[in-house]
Amino acid sequence: MDSATSRDSFQIIHTMHKEALLAHRKQSEDTSTLLGGQSPKKLVDDGKYILLMTTGTEVTEKSEQENLQSCQNAILTALPENRDQPKPVIVVGPAGFGKTTALEKLILDWATGKHLQHFSWVFKFTFSYLNVQKGVMSLKELLLQTHSHLSPESLALVLQKPQSLLFLFDGLDQYKNNLDLPTSHTLCSDPNQPSPVPVLIANLVHGTLLQGAATLLTSRPTTPTLESLDGHRVELLGFLKPQRNDYFNSFFSDPTAANRAFQNMERTLGFYEICTSPNFCWTTCFIYKSLMEAGESLPETLTQLFVCITGHLIRALSLDKDHARDLMSSLGRMASHCCLSPHSQCSTEEMTSFGLQQFLTTPTSLKDFLHIDGAPESKDCSFSFHTQMMQEFITAVSFYLDESEEVNVEDLLEKHGGCMEFLDLYLVGLAEPSQRKPLESHLGMWNPDRIVDLNSWFRSTTEKALQSYQKERHLHYLRLLHQSQNKKLVKDNMRSARGINYGGLSVQDCVVLNYTVTCMEEWDQLNLYRSIDLTEEKASLLVPAMSLSRVINLGQSSFTAGALNHLALALRQGRTIELDMSNNHMGDTGFKLLCTGLGDCHIEILKLPVCELTDACCEDLVAVLTSGRSHLRVLNLRANALRDPGLIKLSQALGSPHCKLQELQLQMCEFTGESMKALSTALSSGQSQLRILDLAQNQITDHGVDWLVKALQHPCCQLQSLILFDNDLTAACCAGVAAALLSECCRLTELDLSVNELGQEGALQLLKALSKPGHPLEKLSLVRCELNPLVFKELGVLLSNGTSRLKSLSLGLNKVGDEGAKHLWVALGDQRCRLEHLDIEMIQLTDASIGDLSTAVSASGSLKSLVLKNNLLTDRSVPALVRVTQDSRTMQEMNLQYNDFSEDVFELMDQCAKIKY
């Protein structure tokens, strides 16, 4: 045969092969089923649903045509025209994601000349077909067996050019053999060489047989063989939310019905990964449409959806209750077997053993429940469930239909726990009368003993889970409670639940937590600490729960603008009295959104430390505080760069009769003394209700304090606690502070001047003022103020003079040693001393002081807490300290941390629960 004749013959065979593939498509049966979804042939021929498929890793909202192009390009790019030794292309996706449809589309495009024209021949196999090919044959014989339109002579011609061949293999997850690399015993490189079929396929996929031929396989991602198969992977992601919306709009002719169905699915099911499956979307749309046409309610849970699906399938079979019950019980046995076996398929012989023989003669009874590969009467036929979800649901149903006493719910879950994700969820849902009733009308009554068993198990396990601190256990049982849709059951279980942090919730967790809180009708604390991805969708789902919560903790969280809008809405319409937004990147823009809810709500305590706020936010804050509708009493703005302009604006609010603030935390806000005049004016205005003011770690200096002491001496100033920790103060400010303390108008009960260089001169001026009768101060902090033993001597005199009201005294980090401390021990032993708390951390106390210390503690009639941290005490001190602490009538805690103790005395200190070390 000359070359021209050879080319003509090759072209004729080539054309005949394409025509045969197209003819086979036309003759193929439409296998659309409710659970199996629409057939690949119908999807490809209709052309509208396949367009919604996405591939790759990018989450996108592309148009339908762009997504189709993305899908095609991902596969076509992996099948290049010029290749030396091509690797297998593996199209991976869960069940129902369109893997078979993708192959159908490839074959159609090749046969009609649209794509892949660098391949002259395309051959398709299913792994379920290859499973039943027994014995020994050559690749040539296998191809002739499956492609009868080819003659041996023409096929021999085809196989001479391996680079022009593309082999498609569908359903690797169903393959019962392996695809291990060929060894010397399993090597096959000649298409005419007889070998076991698994050997042929392994050699073909790995490129040792027909070297240069391209192969493409489809598989579910859980297939073990994938791990050892080296190739180009193409991931099918299924439907994203925008694509599901498009899908519903395509399915329903009425836009209103489409929107109602879509919103219901997203609200009740959209958080499940199964919703990305095109098949699942088709099934859901079909059921929703049937329910809407019948005027029935749409399902609220996954259990209710599968109750509707199963009821629809049973009605379509027209079976009486006994036969329907037999069918579901038998399918339940099959479902359990498929879960526990290495392969998800069953043979005809196994189907008979499950009690399904009566239904094999009428396979239409099974096709909606099962995928049937082959003739049902053939021993080579295989059966599998269309979806894992339905397999698990039927297992749960059959549990309640079983009249035996062999299995209880705990054994069932333990047996199937590793392979059934939703079994306990279905069991809890189906135990509820309202949810099981539709199926009982088709299948007969549930076994009452099984319901009792489930309820007993659920009660005990839920109580244990909700009393634990394990977040995932909590959330899992909240999912089960949500599935029950039983408000009383939720209330009974949640009353004793331990409060934990639910930060970092998924969309599903937001749904179930919101359901739980709304069932309770009120919630003490909604702890969402470290919700680092609180999106608008999640926040919108949590609005009712937030509205019912008295305390909301969103510390160390991050929000979208949409999420803040929903939070503001929840505050406006809710009963929240405390909101913690600490340590997030809200900024002025985010705070402005939050303020839309703060202006008219019940919030009394607002925590906003480290929120990247500036003076620009203060205008919005002032508007809230002076609105006349704000209930804010406590405001924490620590570590925000408000600076002097911000405090000047806030001072305007403090001077308003509408402002109800009583506590203001302004540490590390970059203030100077320049803003203290405005603050002093506000405090003296007669309108300010401020009682507690913390200005720690701002560079206020002596100049700023001069303004504050003027306010303290004003009769209208209500301030009771003033924190001036680390404010760059010196002894120069102490005369003014002393004058304020001597003023009859001063109401201060707490003063903190720690970490300022007051020295002996400044301290003595303060103590002189405090020695006068009538001053109200009860709590004084002078930590690291450069004090010396003389100051400690005067402090001792002050504490025992009978006029001091001091109950708490903090003097740490002043290096006075035993010499300074002895004056305190003398004062403590005086019955006129009222001190209850004494903190002398790191003053260089040694064992030499323990005798005086013990005598003082024994004699004290008021001391409850003594802090001796970070001193120079050793093991020698421990026996006396333990003894005096145990014997003291008033002592509640002695803190001995970070002293020079050895492990030898730990056991001795353990004998006294009051000692902390």
Side-chain angles (χ1 to χ4, degrees):
M1 183 183 298
D2 58 33
S3 59
T5 304
S6 177
R7 283 195 301 272
D8 291 343
S9 299
F10 189 86
Q11 186 60 43
I12 292 171
I13 300 169
H14 174 73
T15 304
M16 181 174 60
H17 183 60
K18 285 190 172 184
E19 290 174 349
L21 290 182
L22 293 172
H24 178 73
R25 286 191 75 256
K26 291 180 180 179
Q27 296 168 4
S28 63
E29 180 184 358
D30 183 355
T31 57
S32 298
T33 59
L34 180 57
L35 290 171
Q38 291 178 290
S39 69
K41 176 178 180 294
K42 181 171 178 57
L43 285 170
V44 171
D45 290 346
D46 287 352
K48 62 179 181 179
Y49 294 144
I50 185 67
L51 298 180
L52 296 171
M53 193 177 301
T54 59
T55 61
T57 57
E58 179 186 3
V59 177
T60 176
E61 297 184 14
K62 297 176 181 176
S63 67
E64 295 180 2
Q65 190 57 44
E66 287 175 318
N67 280 316
L68 171 62
Q69 194 65 39
S70 171
C71 176
Q72 293 288 10
N73 287 344
I75 297 177
L76 297 178
T77 301
L79 293 168
E81 184 170 353
N82 299 314
R83 60 199 189 283
D84 296 326
Q85 182 58 47
K87 290 183 177 181
V89 176
I90 311 156
V91 179
V92 181
F97 270 52
K99 301 181 293 295
T100 301
T101 305
L103 294 196
E104 184 79 12
K105 186 73 165 63
L106 282 178
I107 292 172
L108 178 63
D109 285 352
W110 176 79
T112 55
K114 292 181 181 178
H115 294 298
L116 299 174
Q117 296 309 292
H118 50 285
F119 294 109
S120 299
W121 307 92
V122 175
F123 300 102
K124 179 188 174 186
F125 293 93
T126 63
F127 279 107
S128 58
Y129 170 81
L130 296 173
N131 282 335
V132 298
Q133 302 309 306
K134 309 298 183 184
V136 173
M137 68 177 75
S138 67
L139 177 63
K140 184 177 178 181
E141 291 171 328
L142 178 63
L143 289 170
L144 288 172
Q145 178 177 301
T146 54
H147 298 78
S148 58
H149 57 280
L150 295 175
S151 66
E153 295 77 18
S154 62
L155 184 57
L157 189 62
V158 168
L159 296 180
Q160 291 177 7
K161 297 182 178 180
Q163 290 81 3
S164 68
L165 306 180
L166 171 60
F167 289 87
L168 306 177
F169 296 95
D170 193 20
L172 178 59
D173 45 279
Q174 299 178 16
Y175 196 37
K176 295 182 179 180
N177 302 292
N178 59 52
L179 288 175
D180 292 345
L181 280 167
T183 64
S184 58
H185 301 291
T186 60
L187 190 65
C188 175
S189 57
D190 184 355
N192 296 299
Q193 175 186 337
S195 297
V197 172
V199 172
L200 295 178
I201 302 306
N203 279 272
L204 188 59
V205 169
H206 287 287
T208 52
L209 178 58
L210 290 181
Q211 187 172 5
T215 56
L216 185 150
L217 306 86
T218 71
S219 176
R220 297 183 185 182
T222 54
T223 306
T225 313
L226 280 180
E227 298 177 6
S228 58
L229 191 59
D230 182 25
H232 300 286
R233 289 174 69 118
V234 178
E235 303 281 349
L236 295 183
L237 299 181
F239 288 164
L240 309 176
K241 184 174 180 178
Q243 296 165 321
R244 293 199 291 270
N245 192 12
D246 289 342
Y247 189 97
F248 274 65
N249 286 327
S250 298
F251 191 98
F252 291 89
S253 56
D254 179 5
T256 303
N259 183 63
R260 179 190 168 200
F262 175 71
Q263 294 301 331
N264 179 272
M265 175 173 170
E266 291 305 304
R267 177 174 56 82
T268 59
L269 306 172
F271 41 79
Y272 289 114
E273 290 184 4
I274 52 171
C275 292
T276 58
S277 164
N279 269 9
F280 184 79
C281 286
W282 185 82
T283 302
T284 304
C285 284
F286 184 93
I287 289 297
Y288 276 20
K289 186 176 182 181
S290 301
L291 293 171
M292 291 163 74
E293 289 174 349
E296 298 180 22
S297 300
L298 298 182
E300 290 295 318
T301 66
L302 197 60
T303 300
Q304 290 178 5
L305 174 65
F306 276 89
V307 165
C308 293
I309 292 172
T310 307
H312 178 90
L313 295 177
I314 293 174
R315 282 194 301 273
L317 296 176
S318 300
L319 298 175
D320 59 37
K321 283 185 180 181
D322 289 340
H323 283 87
R325 193 178 183 100
D326 287 345
L327 174 61
M328 294 305 292
S329 296
S330 299
L331 286 173
R333 289 188 283 273
M334 176 189 173
S336 177
H337 171 83
C338 289
C339 166
L340 300 173
S341 68
H343 304 288
S344 58
Q345 297 173 308
C346 293
S347 65
T348 303
E349 182 179 357
E350 288 171 324
M351 296 291 281
T352 301
S353 71
F354 302 139
L356 287 162
Q357 66 275 13
Q358 61 179 313
F359 302 102
L360 295 179
T361 56
T362 55
T364 53
S365 300
L366 296 177
K367 73 171 186 176
D368 263 329
F369 286 101
L370 304 174
H371 174 73
I372 304 173
D373 193 359
E377 64 276 5
S378 168
K379 66 177 182 179
D380 293 328
C381 184
S382 64
F383 304 81
S384 59
F385 284 93
H386 286 298
T387 70
Q388 174 72 18
M389 297 292 293
M390 192 60 176
Q391 179 179 326
E392 296 186 26
F393 182 77
I394 289 176
T395 303
V397 171
S398 64
F399 170 79
Y400 286 113
L401 299 180
D402 192 351
E403 297 294 336
S404 71
E405 298 180 358
E406 297 177 1
V407 180
N408 59 39
V409 66
E410 196 166 351
D411 293 337
L412 180 73
L413 291 171
E414 183 177 354
K415 181 179 180 182
H416 298 87
C419 55
M420 289 193 175
E421 180 182 356
F422 295 97
L423 181 57
D424 58 350
L425 179 146
Y426 289 138
L427 288 169
V428 171
L430 289 171
E432 288 301 312
S434 61
Q435 298 198 65
R436 70 175 182 259
K437 185 177 179 181
L439 280 184
E440 284 184 321
S441 65
H442 296 294
L443 303 173
M445 300 297 289
W446 271 197
N447 181 345
D449 293 337
R450 292 293 171 92
I451 296 173
V452 171
D453 179 28
L454 184 285
N455 289 334
S456 175
W457 166 83
F458 189 45
R459 250 191 328 270
S460 62
T461 56
T462 303
E463 182 179 358
K464 292 176 183 177
L466 297 181
Q467 280 291 311
S468 76
Y469 286 103
Q470 298 176 32
K471 173 183 167 185
E472 286 308 314
R473 284 193 73 195
H474 264 247
L475 290 173
H476 181 71
Y477 276 83
L478 294 190
R479 293 180 200 123
L480 297 181
L481 288 170
H482 170 254
Q483 202 67 205
S484 74
Q485 291 292 293
N486 184 327
K487 186 175 180 179
K488 183 178 182 303
L489 185 65
V490 173
K491 283 188 171 184
D492 290 344
N493 281 280
M494 292 303 296
R495 283 195 181 99
S496 59
R498 191 182 300 278
I500 64 168
N501 172 29
Y502 290 112
L505 298 176
S506 67
V507 173
Q508 179 184 5
D509 295 333
C510 290
V511 170
V512 299
L513 181 58
N514 184 70
Y515 172 77
T516 303
V517 173
T518 51
C519 284
M520 297 300 292
E521 298 177 347
E522 62 179 358
W523 200 246
D524 286 336
Q525 182 178 34
L526 184 62
N527 189 342
L528 300 174
Y529 179 74
R530 297 197 70 179
S531 292
I532 57 175
D533 58 346
L534 190 60
T535 62
E536 180 175 5
E537 180 182 18
K538 293 179 182 179
S540 67
L541 294 169
L542 288 171
V543 166
M546 290 190 289
S547 298
L548 293 169
S549 300
R550 292 181 61 79
V551 178
I552 300 175
N553 184 351
L554 283 165
Q556 289 200 23
S557 300
S558 58
F559 322 88
T560 62
L564 284 169
N565 279 325
H566 286 296
L567 174 58
L569 172 64
L571 297 179
R572 284 198 303 274
Q573 63 187 29
R575 59 185 68 172
T576 305
I577 62 170
E578 180 176 339
L579 175 63
D580 188 345
M581 302 283 282
S582 306
N583 295 277
N584 65 67
H585 304 287
M586 177 175 18
D588 297 332
T589 303
F591 183 67
K592 182 180 285 290
L593 297 174
L594 185 64
C595 281
T596 62
L598 293 175
D600 189 12
C601 67
H602 298 283
I603 293 286
E604 297 179 9
I605 302 173
L606 178 60
K607 299 177 182 179
L608 297 168
V610 199
C611 287
E612 299 185 3
L613 306 179
T614 72
D615 61 289
C617 81
C618 292
E619 290 184 8
D620 297 306
L621 184 55
V622 168
V624 169
L625 293 172
T626 59
S627 66
R629 299 183 301 276
S630 172
H631 293 80
L632 268 178
R633 295 184 299 101
V634 178
L635 178 60
N636 186 335
L637 293 167
R638 178 179 60 84
N640 289 292
L642 304 183
R643 300 188 177 88
D644 291 332
L647 182 54
I648 291 171
K649 293 174 186 175
L650 278 179
S651 297
Q652 296 172 5
L654 293 175
S656 166
H658 299 297
C659 181
K660 299 180 177 64
L661 275 185
Q662 296 180 18
E663 179 177 342
L664 186 55
Q665 303 285 334
L666 295 173
Q667 308 96 308
M668 294 187 290
C669 289
E670 302 183 24
F671 302 142
T672 71
E674 298 304 314
S675 55
M676 293 303 110
K677 180 180 179 181
L679 179 57
S680 177
T681 301
L683 294 174
S684 308
S685 65
Q687 305 296 338
S688 173
Q689 300 180 32
L690 205 63
R691 304 299 198 269
I692 300 173
L693 176 61
D694 192 336
L695 293 168
Q697 295 178 282
N698 289 290
Q699 293 181 330
I700 292 173
T701 70
D702 298 336
H703 169 66
V705 172
D706 288 343
W707 285 107
L708 292 176
V709 297
K710 289 180 180 179
L712 292 175
Q713 297 174 73
H714 196 283
C716 294
C717 180
Q718 304 293 316
L719 215 56
Q720 297 173 1
S721 173
L722 178 60
I723 311 300
L724 297 174
F725 177 101
D726 190 14
N727 288 148
D728 288 352
L729 307 183
T730 70
C733 76
C734 292
V737 175
L741 293 174
L742 287 171
S743 169
E744 294 181 357
C745 298
C746 182
R747 294 180 170 86
L748 278 188
T749 59
E750 177 182 7
L751 177 62
D752 188 345
L753 291 167
S754 299
V755 195
N756 290 293
E757 296 183 6
L758 305 184
Q760 173 181 306
E761 178 187 354
L764 290 178
Q765 290 183 75
L766 295 175
L767 298 182
K768 184 177 180 181
L770 294 177
S771 65
K772 302 295 183 183
H775 75 82
L777 207 64
E778 296 180 357
K779 185 174 182 180
L780 177 63
S781 295
L782 295 173
V783 175
R784 215 194 78 183
C785 285
E786 310 298 329
L787 307 184
N788 59 22
L790 178 58
V791 175
F792 273 63
K793 179 180 179 180
E794 292 302 317
L795 275 167
V797 173
L798 171 67
L799 293 173
S800 57
N801 67 3
T803 61
S804 172
R805 299 184 183 182
L806 282 178
K807 295 181 179 179
S808 174
L809 182 61
S810 297
L811 300 167
L813 281 78
N814 292 290
K815 300 177 182 179
V816 298
D818 298 336
E819 181 186 357
K822 67 182 180 181
H823 302 292
L824 300 180
W825 308 139
V826 172
L828 281 175
D830 194 307
Q831 293 302 307
R832 291 174 295 179
C833 178
R834 304 181 186 182
L835 212 57
E836 296 178 1
H837 170 79
L838 176 61
D839 183 344
I840 48 174
E841 176 182 1
M842 203 181 292
I843 66 166
Q844 299 185 340
L845 203 64
T846 73
D847 295 337
S849 67
I850 296 304
D852 292 337
L853 184 157
S854 299
T855 301
V857 171
S858 297
S860 174
S862 59
L863 193 65
K864 297 178 180 178
S865 170
L866 178 60
V867 178
L868 300 173
K869 290 167 53 178
N870 282 301
N871 278 292
L872 306 177
L873 304 178
T874 69
D875 293 358
R876 291 172 53 199
S877 304
V878 172
L881 292 172
V882 169
R883 186 167 53 253
V884 73
T885 306
Q886 287 177 327
D887 294 343
S888 171
R889 294 176 291 104
T890 59
M891 184 68 69
Q892 296 175 0
E893 180 180 274
M894 181 179 290
N895 191 328
L896 298 174
Q897 290 178 308
Y898 316 122
N899 279 279
D900 293 334
F901 301 137
S902 71
E903 294 184 4
D904 296 340
V905 294
F906 288 175
E907 186 175 349
L908 178 58
M909 286 191 284
D910 283 337
Q911 295 177 11
C912 182
K914 300 176 183 179
I915 289 182
K916 183 177 181 181
Y917 67 93

